[in-house]
Amino acid sequence: MKAIVQRRYGNPGDVLEFRDVDRPEPGDGEVLLRVHASSVNPADWFPLVGRPSVLRLMFGLTRPKRQVPGKDVAGTVEAVGPKVTRLRPGDEVFGELPGGAYAEYAVAAEDALAPKPANLGFPEAAAVPLAGITALQGMRDAGGVQAGHRVLVNGASGGVGTFAVQVARSLGAHVTGVCSTRNLDLVRSIGAEEVVDYTREDFTRGEQSYDVIFDLVGSHAMSAYRRVLRPGGVYVASTGRPGGDILGPMPYLFRVVLSSLRGGPTMKTFVAKPNPDDLAALAQLIEAGEVRPVIERAYGLPETAEALAHQGEGHAQGKTVVTVES
Ligand SMILES: NC(=O)c1ccc[n+]([C@@H]2O[C@H](COP(=O)([O-])OP(=O)(O)OC[C@H]3O[C@@H](n4cnc5c(N)ncnc54)[C@H](OP(=O)(O)O)[C@@H]3O)[C@@H](O)[C@H]2O)c1
C-alpha cells in the first residue's frame, strides 16, 4: 500500500516520503481500516520536527518510533481482528489513532472509533476527531460551560477554535471569538455573537468579562486573563505558546499552575483524551446541525508534506484535510 513515511526528524518537505509499505495486520481488538481521509493537527507537527526535544522521550530519542504519521481518520472497516465485537467490514467510522493514518490502510483499536456522522462525507468526518474532542471536553468538562455563560475563545479561527465556538453555542453560551481580521466573518458565521480582532484590539483591556476563557494561543500574561474573568470564572489553557526548542510550552503551562495557587478564578491546564462516547456525542451535534467542520483546504495523500507545512505556519483557518484515494 502507499503511505507517508518518516524515518527522521525535520521539516515536512525534507523528511516525508510517499512510498510503498506493507499493509498492517489488525491484532486483538483491532480493525483494518481503508482510509478515505485524514486531517492535520499541531499534534502531528511535534513528532514530525522532533521539537520540543523533551517530547522525544515519547516519540523516539534519535528518530521517530512511529514511521507512518497521522492521527485523525475517517474510513471503512476492511477486516476485523480477533476479539472485535462491535464493528463489521463495511462500517463507515471515524476516530483518532496514535498514528498511521497518512496511508491507504491503517490499524485502529475498535474502541478508538465511532460511526461516521451520517450527514458528512469522509473528508469532513476526518476533520472532526482530535480538534472536535478537544473543543467538547475543553468546553463541557474543563470549562464547565453552561447556558447563559459568557465564553471567550482565544484562537477561534483554527482547527479547535472553530469547533469550540460551535460547541459553546450548543451549550447555550454567549460566545466571543478572538481572531485576526481575515477570519472575522468566518468566526461570526459559525455562531460567535461577538468577535475581537487581535491585530487591532486586546480583549484583556476591554470592559467585557467572561465566565470561561478557552485559550488556544497563550498570548497573554496570567494577570491579564485574570483581569477579565468574572468571580468564579475559569481559564482553560489548552496549550501554551509554542515555546523553546527544549521544553516547548511547559514553562507557560507551569505559569498557569502557579497562577492557580493564588486563589480567585480557577486557572487550569487541560489535555484532551480520545473517547468514543465523546466522538458519538460530536456526531449527534453534527447530525443535529449544531456543529459543522470548517475546512480550509484538502490535499491528496502525496501532498501531505504541504498540508503539514501549512499547519506548521500557525495560521490555519479551520481544518486542513488529507484525502486518500486507493
Ligand atoms: N490540550 C490539548 O489536548 C490540545 C488538543 C489539541 C490542540 N491543542 C493545542 O491548541 C492549539 C490550537 O490548536 P489548533 O488545532 O486550533 O491550531 P491551528 O488550527 O493551527 O489554529 C491556530 C489558530 O490560532 C490563531 N492565532 C494565532 N495567533 C493568534 C492570536 N494572537 N490571537 C488569536 N488567535 C491567534 C490563528 O489564526 P490567524 O491566522 O488569524 O492568526 C489560527 O487560526 C495548539 O497549540 C495545539 O497544540 C491542545
Side-chain angles (χ1 to χ4, degrees), residues 34-256:
R34 183 168 158 222
V35 179
H36 297 299
S38 181
S39 75
V40 174
N41 293 286
D44 297 305
W45 182 258
F46 308 124
L48 175 68
V49 294
R51 290 193 310 270
S53 334
V54 69
L55 291 181
R56 290 194 188 199
L57 294 172
M58 270 192 302
F59 303 143
L61 278 183
T62 54
R63 70 178 98 112
K65 289 185 208 160
R66 191 177 294 283
Q67 296 207 338
V68 179
K71 291 178 176 295
D72 280 335
V73 74
T76 309
V77 175
E78 181 86 4
V80 300
K83 300 185 185 161
V84 167
T85 55
R86 202 168 38 87
L87 295 176
R88 298 276 171 275
D91 286 351
E92 296 186 344
V93 293
F94 73 144
E96 181 188 333
L97 315 182
Y102 298 149
E104 289 177 333
Y105 293 88
V107 155
E110 180 182 36
D111 292 346
L113 302 170
K116 176 177 81 61
N119 57 342
L120 294 188
F122 287 105
E124 292 78 23
V128 177
L130 197 156
I133 291 271
T134 306
L136 182 66
Q137 295 178 356
M139 286 295 168
R140 184 196 60 192
D141 306 339
V145 171
Q146 291 175 13
H149 273 168
R150 281 214 167 234
V151 172
L152 179 132
V153 179
N154 190 27
S157 57
V160 178
T162 46
F163 284 108
V165 168
Q166 299 178 76
V167 167
R169 278 295 305 265
S170 77
L171 293 167
H174 178 284
V175 182
T176 300
V178 183
C179 59
S180 63
T181 317
R182 78 180 179 114
N183 291 317
L184 292 172
D185 288 344
L186 165 72
V187 173
R188 274 194 207 100
S189 77
I190 54 174
E193 279 95 346
E194 290 172 42
V195 286
V196 177
D197 180 346
Y198 74 79
T199 67
R200 292 161 193 247
E201 214 181 317
D202 179 348
F203 69 88
T204 67
R205 305 240 156 237
E207 293 301 308
Q208 191 53 251
S209 60
Y210 304 94
D211 298 291
V212 179
I213 295 177
F214 189 48
D215 187 12
L216 298 158
V217 185
S219 46
H220 291 75
M222 291 302 114
S223 53
Y225 294 121
R226 295 174 77 100
R227 192 181 308 132
V228 288
L229 274 171
R230 293 180 167 179
V234 183
Y235 167 83
V236 180
S238 162
T239 182
R241 300 179 175 118
D245 278 354
I246 297 174
L247 292 177
M250 284 178 194
Y252 182 83
L253 298 174
F254 184 63
R255 284 207 290 283
V256 179

Side-chain angles (χ1 to χ4, degrees), residues 307-320:
L308 279 154
H310 173 61
Q311 165 75 46
E313 286 165 12
H315 295 286
Q317 189 184 52
K319 293 285 302 178
T320 304

Side-chain angles (χ1 to χ4, degrees), residues 226 256-263:
R226 295 174 77 100
V256 179
V257 174
L258 272 186
S259 179
S260 73
L261 303 176
R262 277 183 51 193

